[in-house]
Amino acid sequence: MSGMDTGTLHGPGAAASLLASARRIVVFTGAGVSTDSGIPDFRSTGGRDGGLWTRYDPRKLSFGRYKADPDVRRQAWKLRRELSAIQARPNPAHLACVRLAELGRLAGVITQNVDGLHGDAGLDPELLVEVHGTGRIAVCLACGDRRPMAEAVARVEAGEPDPPCLLCGGILKAATVSFGQGIPPEVWARAQAMTDACDGFVAVGSSLVVHPAAGLPRRAAAKGATLVVINREPTPLDPMADAVCHGEAGSLLPGLVDSLSA
Ligand code: APR
């Protein structure tokens, strides 16, 4: 049911009643579900909560620039050190996804986040698609060797500003999908299949401006799923959602799961 023909309803009560009969819910998460864990998002503006893209220029961190320019890599390792120092833990938004799975009503979590917090919260890996990869692994762009990011960050802290692969000397990068890099086909296929099979799609903590990921809520609605958007700020998909809740992910998502489990 698309919001186009019924008008978009607002508030957690409307979202819960529209999802009351949904049995295969996809939760699609963005950086806004991890800010309560201390990880900045990307596009929030101003104040202490300014997103990362207010301090780093994402265009400079493109895949092509990363491979070509050691200064770009040094900047990226500085950002990785900053993020790994946060020691982030899952928050109630991540735990709400696990509770929805325990209710047997979660078709899966499709996350744009690379922080690993959905896995830390105990979500079954079979129910998790990390469409932008993971920042927990460092991968060699030449030989494909994969090691924990913590090991590479420890090398940076020990004085290697751009640590090369220990096996072949190639360029190391987080196993994330950067601008200019494609989402691995098998990952994208899983995300699309999960989206096509759902009867409810809840987008949480995302500005919904980065494609192709941001096309998934639209795809779900086009297939007849109930679309709910939960976000601190309005998103481009609000007008087509069946229900919109503007507010905090850490209270709205657990509140929604509470209502669904009542
Ligand atoms: N509760 C609800 N919403 C929040 C919260 C919160 N606690 N904190 C932040 N938000 C909202 C912000 O208002 C913003 O609209 O979450 C949204 C996060 O949007 P972005 O910072 O753009 O993050 P995201 O949508 O995940 O970005 C998508 O862009 O740069 C790429 O690869 C990166 O995966 C990322 C992609």
Side-chain angles (χ1 to χ4, degrees), residues 30-32 35-36 41-44 53 112-113 132 179 205-208 210 231-233 247-249:
T35 52
D36 280 353
D41 67 10
F42 296 97
R43 294 174 180 83
S44 281
W53 296 156
Q112 300 171 94
N113 302 338
H132 291 159
F179 290 111
S206 178
S207 58
L208 298 176
V210 174
N231 202 51
R232 195 180 268 168
E233 296 165 6
E248 295 300 298

Side-chain angles (χ1 to χ4, degrees), residues 9-17 19 25 27 29 32-33 36 91-97 99-100 202-206 228-235 238 243-261:
L9 302 178
H10 285 259
S17 57
L19 289 170
I25 298 170
V27 180
T29 62
V33 304
D36 280 353
N91 67 57
H94 301 104
L95 298 173
C97 297
R99 275 197 297 133
L100 193 58
V202 182
V204 193
S206 178
V228 172
V229 176
I230 297 175
N231 202 51
R232 195 180 268 168
E233 296 165 6
T235 78
D238 288 7
V244 171
C245 307
H246 288 154
E248 295 300 298
S251 50
L252 286 168
L253 189 56
L256 177 61
V257 174
D258 287 345
S259 305
L260 295 177
S261 59

